């Protein structure tokens, strides 16, 4: 997220890392679907840029997590050894 001129925070994606002719670093962001951009010099990075916190997906093993609900029943029915179609019921 980046802080806009009016003080509001807006979701934006990094377009590029740039360097001015004077050697100053900046980041340019795309702020909307029209590809409008906003650039921030390094001195504003701490106050005007808030990166998203990405948390890695946990990949629990099936033995450590108890599965509940209708999804568990559906999986059990798919994996059952019974192939008799008459026990499947009627869908509305």
């Amino acid at each position: 997220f980046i802080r806009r001129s009016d003080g509001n925070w807006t979701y934006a994606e990094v377009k590029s890392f740039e360097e001015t002719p004077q050697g100053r670093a900046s980041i340019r962001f795309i702020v909307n679907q029209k590809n409008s951009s906003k650039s921030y010099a390094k001195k504003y990075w701490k106050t005007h840029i808030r990166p998203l916190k990405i948390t890695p997906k946990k990949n629990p093993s099936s033995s450590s997590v108890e599965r509940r609900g209708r999804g568990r029943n559906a999986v059990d029915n798919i994996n059952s050894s019974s192939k008799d179609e008459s026990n499947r019921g009627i869908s509305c």
Side-chain angles (χ1 to χ4, degrees):
F1 287 88
I2 62 169
R3 188 172 183 189
R4 302 300 298 269
S5 306
D6 62 4
N8 289 324
W9 290 90
T10 302
Y11 175 79
E13 294 182 9
V14 174
K15 178 180 181 180
S16 62
F17 292 89
E18 301 171 350
E19 189 171 308
T20 66
Q22 296 81 21
R24 296 186 180 135
S26 67
I27 303 174
R28 182 166 301 276
F29 295 89
I30 299 294
V31 296
N32 61 27
Q33 292 181 345
K34 296 178 186 176
N35 287 332
S36 299
S37 65
K38 174 113 178 139
S39 183
Y40 287 102
K42 188 173 184 175
K43 70 179 186 176
Y44 295 107
W45 292 358
K46 285 186 178 181
T47 58
H48 287 69
I49 300 171
R50 295 288 181 252
L52 291 175
K53 292 182 181 179
I54 305 296
T55 55
K57 289 184 178 182
K58 293 181 181 178
N59 191 8
S61 64
S62 59
S63 61
S64 65
V65 175
E66 181 181 332
R67 297 175 70 186
R68 298 179 189 163
R70 294 173 63 189
R72 175 67 178 163
N73 293 337
V75 172
D76 286 343
N77 289 339
I78 291 171
N79 294 329
S80 69
S81 60
S82 172
K83 301 294 182 194
D84 184 9
E85 294 293 322
S86 64
N87 292 333
R88 297 195 64 183
I90 299 172
S91 177
C92 296

